[in-house]
Amino acid sequence: MTENAQQQPTAPHTELPTQYAPADVEGPLYERWVERGYFEADAKSDKPPYTIVIPPPNVTGSLHLGHAFQHTLMDALTRRKRMQGHEALWLPGMDHAGIATQNVVERELGKEGKSRHDLGREAFVERVWQWKDEYGGRILGQMRRLGDGVDWNRERFTMDEGLSQAVQTIFKRLFDDELIYRAERIINWCPRCLTAISDIEVEYQDDDGELVSIKYGEGDDTLVVATTRAETMLGDTAVAVHPDDERYRHLIGTRIKLPLTDRSIPVVADAHVDPEFGTGAVKVTPAHDPNDFAIGQRHGLESLTVMDERGVITVHGPFEGLDRFEARSAIVAALRAEGRIVAEKRPYVHSVGHCSRCKTTLEPRLSMQWWVKVGPLAQAAGDAVRDGRVQIHPADMSKRYFDWVDNMHDWCISRQLWWGHRIPVWYGPDGEVVCVGPDEEPPTGEGWTQDPDVLDTWFSSGLWPFSTLGWPEQTPDLKKFYSTDVLLTGHDIIFFWVARMMMFGLYAMDGEVPFKTIALTGLVRDQFGKKMSKSSGTAVDPLDWMDTYGSDAVRFTLARGANPGTDVPIGEDWVQASRNFANKIWNATRFALMNGATVDGPLPDAAAMSATDRWILSRLNKTVAQVDAFYEDFQFAKLSDALFHFAWDEVFDWYVELSKTTFQAGGEPAEVSKRVLGEVLDVTLKLLHPVVPFVTETLWTTLTGGESVVVADWPQDSGFRDDAAEREIETLQSVITEVRRFRADQGLQPGQRVPARLALDGTALAPHEAAIRQLLRLQPEGEDFTATATLPVAGAEVALDLSGTIDVAAERKRLAKDLAAAEKEKSQATAKLGNEAFLAKAPDNVVEKIRGRLAKAEDDITRIQAQLDRLPQQ
């Protein structure tokens, strides 16, 4: 712990302003860090690597509290490792965000009365690039505001040249290994975005709908089916029942009339049908329902598509051209007119899938798409965690990971968009299908066309840990910084991103994992633990809080709430408290500087130190060890809390206050304490730096004269412990606390001086008399001293002369009134708890509340009686 202090160059202390103004400090300080190259990583360095890749924010995005939360934690990890001597790389970048970005630009075109089709594909894509260059990436500037210590020289974009080459390379390899294929299957289709949506991008919410029961067939050969999507009946190609359902066994294999059409459809037996649900008969629409599609495959049923890509009905004259929801009402009305509606339930609340981008109700749709065969890839991703090559933290989140990778369906990777990585497949005039790698020329000639679709955004971001380091080229960066050390991300995107990176990383890098640890965080909530939303007025722009309270305050608040895997509640009053903490650090360091605290030279020998000095150094080393342990376990809340209480409670509230007496007395003890105080602040500021970088940089460089705390050595536990000194100061603290409490009970003002006689001889408190008197505002006893109250504490005795400081009669009267109220409360609570009839009827929570009242009343009686006993006798 002392080596770094000896190594630091020192300079005369410059005077700190009386108040800390974050707005004046943070921006210039950050730019100075960047200009000096502190965040740049060197692939040629002999230092051990430490790598984190940033979850790439959308190019359309802006910094929200979730970003600020995770970026704070990643920055803290990286800053600490850099201080520990690692070649730390925190690699930044952005995701092209296919659907989101295309939607933004299409909305801009709409204001001009145009659509993308008016421009054509090539011109539209060029327009998106223009938008990206002009408006995209504002979050990068906001990351600077937060203090992100990223290597800006290595900034990447999922559609830059290098990453595009990586995408084409892995697509080709997967295609050649028959892990990518094209097939017609049911997908989630957005009629607004006009593209397929993967399962994990579907947002389910409870919608008010209707459940109608419809009679199919005629006479005795009828079946009743229930549906929330009556419009899809136009595409029914069967009715399915369970093979063991006695009610319908006679109908299996027969055909029944499909209402409103001139078609008859078969009745099939399928074990998928639950005979206990509804009527036990279900309509089968293979082209518009995933379960029905599977039934259709098993029974060789025809798949009839009855809607176009915009959700408009394309069949059966009366309903053709109607929007799907208009058709629903019209079809129900037509069925009702024919007497085929057996039952109707409105509203019928059920879970409905919506597009996560535009919130449109999705439509299951049979479509020809490109797929990744995930079986072997998912197996490898699961095995890497099972065999310990990748650790998930907290460990209980592993179940969610395995639930996903062990049951993963093939992944639909094609999107019907223009913005994104276009699928590198060409189709020939005679049915040829050619996949083209990055170093290959696409086929040319009449009749050859490229697939129009682009790849799912998560396909390219799944390559992020290695594509950003130069893969498929074997670059120095890839050799030095892969595998990455930690993936820190929210538990909500295990499925979106984490599993994708695991599959692709293991596949592309010959079994080498993309990261050694997956550290999962919770989500940021409002102060009541509820989801933040604009509609409810609880959404917060972190930049507003940074403007008001400073970036350090926002960062510290977020870190103090970061328990692994647990959601983080946050309110503005907590940010205010963190701002107060930053101010406290500032003021304590100003005091130290004004009183000559220094980091010059080695620490004095323990024999030359006071018990107070040895106590704070012992507590300091224990705090270093504790903080290190919490970092290794990703316990950001606990390490932040430990630092807060050590800095505020022990350093600022106790050690600084106790040192004032020593500094006033002067001499050698004062010189020793100045060096100890300098050491304590030096180390404390370093420990705090990864979480609150700006204020600590300003204070540390002023205190030590060092170049920057960013590149200072991380503190080490020197092993110094002094349990005896800790017990001695704990005794001193208990005495001061007890007398302060007594003073407050007597109504004395904090600054009011009281004559006192201290009997400390023979106790551990004897060397601390001057500090006790100063902190408790106790003046020496005079000739007319009369001990009107005596407090025996810790084997010593503090006698106070309260005559002339309080009205004893009035105080006795006030306390007697309080005592009577407490005794009445005790009597009432005791009576209720002794009433068997009451206890038999009262709810448990009511009984517990009364027990609490009784306990409080008893404590109040003890406390008030002690105060009365201590008052002077009249």
Side-chain angles (χ1 to χ4, degrees):
M1 185 175 67
T2 60
E3 291 179 4
N4 189 59
Q6 296 175 38
Q7 294 169 358
Q8 291 299 334
T10 58
H13 298 312
T14 57
E15 187 175 343
L16 288 169
T18 56
Q19 291 185 325
Y20 177 50
D24 297 337
V25 170
E26 293 175 351
L29 196 52
Y30 185 85
E31 294 309 317
R32 186 156 66 247
W33 288 334
V34 173
E35 289 166 6
R36 291 180 177 180
Y38 292 154
F39 306 141
E40 295 173 15
D42 183 1
K44 298 178 182 178
S45 167
D46 293 332
K47 296 178 181 179
Y50 183 81
T51 315
I52 295 180
V53 291
I54 212 163
N58 287 355
V59 66
T60 59
S62 60
L63 191 76
H64 56 63
L65 272 177
H67 291 129
F69 170 53
Q70 292 181 358
H71 287 208
T72 293
L73 305 187
M74 285 184 277
D75 195 32
L77 290 172
T78 311
R79 285 177 182 268
R80 173 174 173 263
K81 285 296 183 180
R82 187 179 292 114
M83 294 172 74
Q84 287 182 314
H86 287 72
E87 196 62 41
L89 169 61
W90 187 20
L91 194 148
M94 293 185 299
D95 191 283
H96 66 277
I99 296 176
T101 307
Q102 180 158 319
N103 281 346
V104 167
V105 178
E106 286 197 80
R107 281 196 296 270
E108 292 298 312
L109 284 175
K111 296 175 183 177
E112 303 171 17
K114 297 178 182 178
S115 73
R116 60 177 162 134
H117 300 284
D118 294 324
L119 271 65
R121 183 170 194 143
E122 186 175 339
F124 176 77
V125 170
E126 178 60 31
R127 179 73 174 261
V128 180
W129 277 109
Q130 291 173 4
W131 180 91
K132 185 258 182 188
D133 292 339
E134 187 171 356
Y135 301 107
R138 60 178 172 162
I139 191 172
L140 300 178
Q142 295 165 346
M143 287 162 54
R144 301 171 91 93
R145 281 285 314 277
L146 187 65
D148 283 8
V150 298
D151 187 344
W152 291 111
N153 291 333
R154 286 179 166 83
E155 180 190 333
R156 302 305 299 268
F157 179 55
T158 50
M159 282 184 62
D160 67 29
E161 184 177 352
L163 268 62
S164 294
Q165 182 185 26
V167 168
Q168 195 171 352
T169 299
I170 202 163
F171 187 100
K172 171 70 172 174
R173 291 188 186 180
L174 290 164
F175 182 89
D176 290 347
D177 288 343
E178 298 183 348
L179 292 173
I180 281 183
Y181 64 94
R182 192 169 184 243
E184 190 176 45
R185 297 209 181 151
I186 292 286
I187 46 88
N188 305 295
W189 181 264
C190 177
R192 157 62 183 80
C193 297
L194 299 180
T195 183
I197 300 291
S198 68
D199 291 345
I200 53 178
E201 292 175 298
V202 178
E203 289 184 354
Y204 288 94
Q205 66 183 49
D206 288 339
D207 286 358
D208 286 343
E210 60 180 353
L211 181 68
V212 294
S213 298
I214 309 168
K215 182 172 65 176
Y216 283 29
E218 303 292 347
D220 294 334
D221 295 338
T222 61
L223 288 168
V224 175
V225 301
T227 182
T228 59
R229 301 168 66 225
E231 69 279 9
T232 63
M233 68 163 292
L234 300 177
D236 285 358
T237 55
V239 173
V241 298
H242 194 277
D244 299 329
D245 195 330
E246 292 292 340
R247 294 171 295 176
Y248 306 122
R249 183 168 290 179
H250 67 290
L251 292 175
I252 296 173
T254 66
R255 300 182 72 86
I256 60 174
K257 177 81 165 45
L258 178 65
L260 304 183
T261 73
D262 57 3
R263 292 191 293 117
S264 66
I265 56 177
V267 178
V268 299
D270 196 281
H272 170 77
V273 179
D274 180 2
E276 302 298 322
F277 182 77
T279 64
V282 297
K283 60 191 288 295
V284 182
T285 320
H288 293 278
D289 182 274
N291 293 322
D292 293 3
F293 179 77
I295 293 175
Q297 292 289 99
R298 288 193 289 271
H299 296 277
L301 301 175
E302 184 182 6
S303 295
L304 296 178
T305 299
V306 298
M307 294 179 215
D308 67 12
E309 60 185 7
R310 298 183 183 277
V312 175
I313 302 298
T314 58
V315 299
H316 200 70
F319 311 110
E320 188 173 356
L322 294 179
D323 171 80
R324 53 185 168 154
F325 299 119
E326 295 172 336
R328 181 178 299 173
S329 300
I331 287 170
V332 170
L335 290 167
R336 191 183 299 113
E338 289 191 4
R340 291 193 172 274
I341 299 296
V342 176
E344 297 180 69
K345 184 176 182 181
R346 294 189 186 89
Y348 178 72
V349 179
H350 60 134
S351 182
V352 177
H354 294 258
C355 174
S356 62
R357 300 297 180 188
C358 69
K359 313 308 177 186
T360 299
T361 300
L362 296 174
E363 192 65 41
R365 175 181 172 85
L366 186 62
S367 179
M368 183 67 76
Q369 301 285 343
W370 285 94
W371 305 79
V372 172
K373 187 185 296 182
V374 300
L377 302 174
Q379 176 70 43
D383 290 346
V385 175
R386 287 189 175 93
D387 64 24
R389 283 176 289 156
V390 176
Q391 302 287 330
I392 292 181
H393 188 88
D396 58 10
M397 285 283 180
S398 297
K399 183 180 183 302
R400 295 185 66 182
Y401 176 79
F402 291 131
D403 285 346
W404 179 250
V405 298
D406 292 347
N407 300 285
M408 195 182 296
H409 300 296
D410 283 1
W411 172 20
C412 177
I413 56 171
S414 46
R415 298 290 179 267
Q416 290 64 55
L417 304 171
W418 288 354
W419 172 246
H421 294 102
R422 194 164 176 181
I423 290 175
V425 171
W426 272 255
Y427 305 110
D430 298 318
E432 301 96 332
V433 178
V434 177
C435 180
V436 178
D439 299 322
E440 300 171 349
E441 290 295 325
T444 58
E446 186 176 350
W448 283 94
T449 59
Q450 185 179 358
D451 193 298
D453 290 351
V454 300
L455 288 164
D456 178 11
T457 295
W458 298 101
F459 190 95
S460 52
S461 61
L463 315 182
W464 192 251
F466 52 94
S467 64
T468 52
L469 296 172
W471 186 91
E473 302 299 324
Q474 296 304 305
T475 64
D477 276 1
L478 191 65
K479 183 178 180 181
K480 175 76 173 180
F481 296 112
Y482 189 91
S483 299
T484 68
D485 288 86
V486 178
L487 171 70
L488 190 144
T489 190
H491 61 65
D492 57 323
I493 60 171
I494 291 178
F495 322 125
F496 287 87
W497 193 43
V498 178
R500 309 301 197 219
M501 288 189 289
M502 285 286 282
M503 292 192 302
F504 282 166
L506 290 162
Y507 174 80
M509 298 299 294
D510 299 321
E512 193 174 357
V513 297
F515 23 74
K516 302 176 185 72
T517 300
I518 302 170
L520 296 171
T521 69
L523 308 179
V524 179
R525 305 287 188 181
D526 69 15
Q527 59 186 320
F528 305 108
K530 296 180 180 179
K531 183 177 180 180
M532 289 186 173
S533 69
K534 292 181 180 178
S535 59
S536 63
T538 56
V540 172
D541 184 344
L543 296 169
D544 292 340
W545 280 354
M546 288 185 221
D547 290 340
T548 305
Y549 305 109
S551 297
D552 283 333
V554 174
R555 290 171 60 116
F556 194 69
T557 303
L558 291 164
R560 283 194 80 183
N563 290 298
T566 304
D567 288 349
V568 183
I570 185 172
E572 188 167 3
D573 54 337
W574 303 340
V575 186
Q576 292 174 353
S578 295
R579 187 267 315 273
N580 294 343
F581 179 52
N583 290 340
K584 187 81 170 181
I585 302 169
W586 185 269
N587 291 333
T589 307
R590 284 189 73 245
F591 166 83
L593 291 170
M594 289 188 294
N595 284 275
T598 179
V599 298
D600 292 340
L603 280 171
D605 291 337
M609 297 180 189
S610 67
T612 307
D613 294 331
R614 298 194 308 277
W615 160 72
I616 198 62
L617 289 174
S618 182
R619 291 294 307 128
L620 177 66
N621 278 283
K622 287 182 178 179
T623 301
V624 170
Q626 189 178 37
V627 168
D628 277 334
F630 285 145
Y631 262 115
E632 296 306 314
D633 200 32
F634 302 99
Q635 297 281 359
F636 295 99
K638 290 182 178 179
L639 72 88
S640 299
D641 214 45
L643 285 170
F644 174 86
H645 288 295
F646 173 72
W648 191 307
D649 299 345
E650 297 185 89
V651 179
F652 306 150
D653 278 358
W654 283 107
Y655 184 71
V656 166
E657 291 300 314
L658 290 169
S659 297
K660 289 179 179 178
T661 306
T662 307
F663 292 155
Q664 289 173 3
E668 185 60 25
E671 296 306 311
V672 170
S673 289
K674 288 175 184 178
R675 178 65 189 88
V676 170
L677 179 55
E679 177 77 3
V680 170
L681 286 176
D682 174 21
V683 173
T684 302
L685 291 170
K686 290 176 187 171
L687 292 174
L688 284 165
H689 173 73
V691 180
V692 284
F694 294 107
V695 69
T696 51
E697 170 80 340
T698 305
L699 296 175
W700 186 87
T701 52
T702 304
L703 173 72
T704 68
E707 178 189 346
S708 172
V709 71
V710 176
V711 291
D713 291 340
W714 181 254
Q716 293 184 354
D717 175 10
S718 70
F720 179 82
R721 301 289 190 275
D722 194 325
D723 293 337
E726 289 195 41
R727 288 192 297 271
E728 181 174 328
I729 301 306
E730 285 171 7
T731 302
L732 174 62
Q733 290 171 328
S734 68
V735 170
I736 292 172
T737 301
E738 180 65 24
V739 177
R740 280 175 173 167
R741 184 182 298 117
F742 175 75
R743 286 176 56 107
D745 288 342
Q746 306 311 313
L748 295 175
Q749 295 299 314
Q752 189 172 354
R753 293 196 166 274
V754 177
R757 180 172 60 231
L758 306 183
L760 308 178
D761 291 346
T763 73
L765 299 173
H768 304 287
E769 179 169 352
I772 292 173
R773 285 190 177 276
Q774 178 164 315
L775 291 177
L776 291 173
R777 303 294 190 269
L778 302 179
Q779 62 191 43
E781 56 187 294
E783 293 182 2
D784 57 349
F785 176 84
T786 303
T788 59
T790 302
L791 284 73
V793 284
E797 190 174 86
V798 178
L800 304 175
D801 183 354
L802 302 179
S803 57
T805 60
I806 61 171
D807 184 334
V808 175
E811 188 63 16
R812 280 192 172 278
K813 185 176 180 180
R814 182 185 69 79
L815 291 172
K817 183 178 179 181
D818 291 346
L819 182 62
E823 288 172 338
K824 181 179 179 180
E825 178 71 6
K826 176 184 176 181
S827 176
Q828 291 175 342
T830 302
K832 283 191 175 182
L833 293 174
N835 185 333
E836 293 296 333
F838 170 77
L839 293 177
K841 295 179 182 179
D844 290 346
N845 65 314
V846 173
V847 174
E848 281 305 308
K849 186 175 181 180
I850 293 172
R851 287 190 177 125
R853 286 169 48 193
L854 175 60
K856 183 178 183 303
E858 290 174 337
D859 288 344
D860 288 345
I861 290 169
T862 301
R863 175 179 56 80
I864 297 168
Q865 189 60 60
Q867 290 176 241
L868 283 167
D869 293 342
R870 289 169 177 163
L871 282 174
Q873 297 298 318
Q874 292 177 298

